[in-house]
Amino acid sequence: MTKNYLKHVVLLVLLAFGLTQLNAQTFTYGDLIYEVNYRGASVTVLEHVDGTDATGTLTIPDYVVYNGNNYAVTIIDGYAFSYCRGLEGTMILPNTLEEIGDDAFDYCGFTGVVTIPASVEWIGYTPFYGCDGIEGFVVDPANEDYDSRDNCNAIIKKYNDELIVGCKNSTIPDGVVSIA
């Protein structure tokens, strides 16, 4: 009987955890849809409220408020703004940002220079693919994981000297050993 009881307790715990994950807290703040992250101290940007029909510039705030709580914006979800061709002009990323998901901005119409904050620790696969209007990338010099050395207008992983994101104005600086 003890083994059966233990099995039921484990099953209930797993079921409760699964239901918690299914009932993630999503909410809208401004023009963006967010989800409260696992530990509840930060949020992920999921998408624009207008989906791929979004237009204008994009400013993602450092913090958002939901149910009286202040949350840091730390993740941009994979594909969050893919094919939002109407998003044009500048893009401002939050200084609290830690992760940019795979294909997060593919085929957006942004122009100008994209600044990657010092707080970014991970950039997914081809996050700016097809963004032909981007003129350059600048990584905050305080970033420990990425750089844009020698004004190359690209993003380079420091630990392996791999150029991971470029644009029409990018140059390949000395020291780069591979291109993603």
Side-chain angles (χ1 to χ4, degrees):
M1 182 156 182
T2 308
K3 280 186 177 181
N4 260 353
Y5 177 75
L6 185 58
K7 284 180 184 178
H8 284 100
V9 169
V10 169
L11 181 62
L12 287 173
V13 168
L14 291 173
L15 184 60
F17 178 75
L19 291 176
T20 300
Q21 295 304 313
L22 291 175
N23 292 322
Q25 295 179 34
T26 60
F27 63 96
T28 301
Y29 185 89
D31 291 335
L32 304 176
I33 299 172
Y34 299 88
E35 178 178 80
V36 177
N37 292 334
Y38 172 67
R39 300 220 185 262
S42 62
V43 294
T44 296
V45 180
L46 298 178
E47 64 182 321
H48 194 283
V49 293
D50 295 329
T52 56
D53 295 327
T55 59
T57 60
L58 178 65
T59 299
I60 301 174
D62 292 345
Y63 295 91
V64 295
V65 177
Y66 173 65
N67 281 343
N69 296 313
N70 204 24
Y71 296 99
V73 178
T74 58
I75 301 171
I76 298 172
D77 205 19
Y79 304 94
F81 300 100
S82 286
Y83 294 95
C84 292
R85 296 180 193 276
L87 287 176
E88 301 175 325
T90 59
M91 171 180 27
I92 299 173
L93 299 175
N95 290 318
T96 54
L97 187 63
E98 297 173 2
E99 299 179 15
I100 300 172
D102 295 344
D103 304 295
F105 298 100
D106 288 2
Y107 296 104
C108 288
F110 296 115
T111 57
V113 175
V114 176
T115 300
I116 303 299
S119 55
V120 172
E121 300 170 351
W122 184 81
I123 297 174
Y125 181 73
T126 65
F128 299 97
Y129 186 81
C131 296
D132 299 331
I134 291 177
E135 296 173 15
F137 294 93
V138 173
V139 178
D140 186 303
N143 189 299
E144 295 179 7
D145 300 294
Y146 299 95
D147 68 47
S148 53
R149 64 188 75 153
D150 302 330
N151 298 312
C152 65
N153 287 311
I155 303 172
I156 300 166
K157 282 185 192 176
K158 287 182 178 182
Y159 84 91
N160 64 356
D161 291 315
E162 179 180 42
L163 191 151
I164 62 163
V165 177
C167 67
K168 61 187 175 190
N169 296 323
S170 295
T171 59
I172 302 171
D174 291 338
V176 168
V177 296
S178 64
I179 299 173

